[in-house]
Amino acid sequence: MIDDRPVLLETRGRSLRITLNRPRAINALTHTMVRLIDEALTAAERDGTVTSVVLTGAGERGLCAGGDIRALYDDTRAGGRASLDFWRDEYRLNARIARFPKPYVALMDGIVMGGGVGVSAHGSLRIVTERSRVAMPETVIGFVPDVGGTHLLAAAPGELGTHLALTGRAVGAADALLCGLADHYVPTRRLPELMEALAASVTAEEVTRTVRGFAEEPSSAEPGELAAQRDWIDVCYATDSVEEIVRRLEDTAASASASTAPTAHAAADVVAELGGRSPLALKVTLAAVRRAARLGSLEAVLDQEFRVSARIREEPDFVEGVRARIIDKDGSPHWKPATLAEVDDSTVARFFAPLGPDEPELGLAPGATATGTA
């Protein structure tokens, strides 16, 4: 008999295994799943026999493809507030995972995107495999990276995080390690053996040693791409203006010669990608990543992301982006505004202002209040 519960819990030896169990949806997160994970962490924290928590996903496609976008789309179109309630609990869960007092081992096998990054990449031991594809692809649907994604991307080396935030590109194991989105590489075939070894690990120190004992270098068959692209990425993205980023990319794309042709081609691809993204989402995303770098703590960044999410759902681009990419799948979103020039600084700033009395702040950061951050 198939167990259709959305989250499966199993205590094996000294570890609690949390399995996201919506394989047909690549384990996309629902509000119920967020609550069940939070309840499981409460139980694990109180249980002295549990040494570690291990997060995995059912099926062969991935750990988690993100939040349930269709549910968010339907709620937004109907003018509901279920999306806000979901994000409020989801972001609190992200913060809890980051501060969880026991080892939290995330098996980031296969697709790990959006909300999937939120429940894995804040963990203490994050494992990628040869099948991993890790991304914060929100700009593709007219949204902005959330679930602490701007915190993670702001901390990536150089401008790699800015590049990934704006393009929404997925990276493999080597690049996830380089960008600080993961800690260790373990081949998929060894994950069952690793989980059994974790079940036998009695202390937190032993859990860490166990994971390190299974870790390998990513094979030469799955090389990263970003390390070799740092020279032009760091130059092109080292500005607080999306228009200037695009101009620098265009200049790089136009400078093709026999020796620079690969770089020019890569830059041209990025120009084409950004040209298909929501201008509003691009500008708010760049501002969010820059502000996240200054805020420092994950909690403060999550407070900021909640403000941005609450406001961007009120814009037409989110619904239009989901329609074009996921519902109708015509790949032709009609963004409003249609150009970067139409999105001015005052419009961007509005997304980061306190929410006001009608919508309480998330309030995770020390000193935060219901109406803003002190």
Side-chain angles (χ1 to χ4, degrees), residues 62-138:
L63 172 68
C64 177
D68 189 335
I69 295 298
R70 182 58 187 260
L72 298 174
Y73 169 84
D74 290 342
D75 175 63
T76 300
R77 288 192 69 197
R81 62 164 294 111
S83 300
L84 293 170
D85 294 338
F86 169 68
W87 288 323
R88 192 179 294 279
D89 285 345
E90 183 185 26
Y91 298 175
R92 289 183 180 279
L93 175 63
N94 301 147
R96 182 176 192 181
I97 289 169
R99 309 300 180 216
F100 196 66
K102 298 180 180 182
Y104 182 101
V105 185
L107 306 185
M108 301 169 70
D109 187 33
I111 292 172
V112 186
M113 296 185 178
V117 172
V119 294
S120 60
H122 298 300
S124 52
L125 292 164
R126 307 161 302 170
I127 296 165
V128 284
T129 74
E130 75 281 2
R131 305 193 319 155
S132 295
R133 300 297 296 166
V134 185
M136 293 300 299
E138 285 76 10

Side-chain angles (χ1 to χ4, degrees), residues 109 129-131 186-194 216:
D109 187 33
T129 74
E130 75 281 2
R131 305 193 319 155
V186 177
T188 299
R189 60 180 172 77
R190 299 201 69 194
L191 294 183
E193 182 184 357
L194 170 61
E216 304 177 8

Side-chain angles (χ1 to χ4, degrees), residues 117-118 121-122 126 136 147-156 161 179-181 298:
V117 172
H122 298 300
R126 307 161 302 170
M136 293 300 299
V147 298
T150 59
H151 175 77
L152 295 166
L153 294 173
C179 291
L181 301 173
L298 172 61

Side-chain angles (χ1 to χ4, degrees), residues 294-314:
R294 297 192 295 268
L295 286 171
S297 77
L298 172 61
E299 288 80 3
V301 174
L302 286 166
D303 285 346
Q304 171 177 277
E305 289 178 349
F306 185 76
R307 291 177 178 178
V308 172
S309 297
R311 288 205 167 91
I312 205 159
R313 72 188 290 271
E314 299 171 352

Side-chain angles (χ1 to χ4, degrees), residues 6 9 16 21 23 36 55 58 75 94 126 147 175 178 180 193 195 240 255 260 263 269 304 324 326 350:
L9 305 176
L16 172 66
N21 189 38
L36 290 172
L55 180 74
D75 175 63
N94 301 147
R126 307 161 302 170
V147 298
D175 286 332
L178 171 64
E193 182 184 357
M195 287 193 286
D240 294 338
S255 63
T260 63
T263 295
D269 285 347
Q304 171 177 277
I326 296 172
R350 180 171 58 83

Side-chain angles (χ1 to χ4, degrees), residues 7 10 45 172 190 209 216 219 226 231 310 312 334 351 353:
V7 175
E10 181 185 16
E45 187 170 349
R190 299 201 69 194
R209 287 196 301 270
E216 304 177 8
S219 73
L226 294 179
D231 54 350
I312 205 159
H334 300 286
F351 286 83

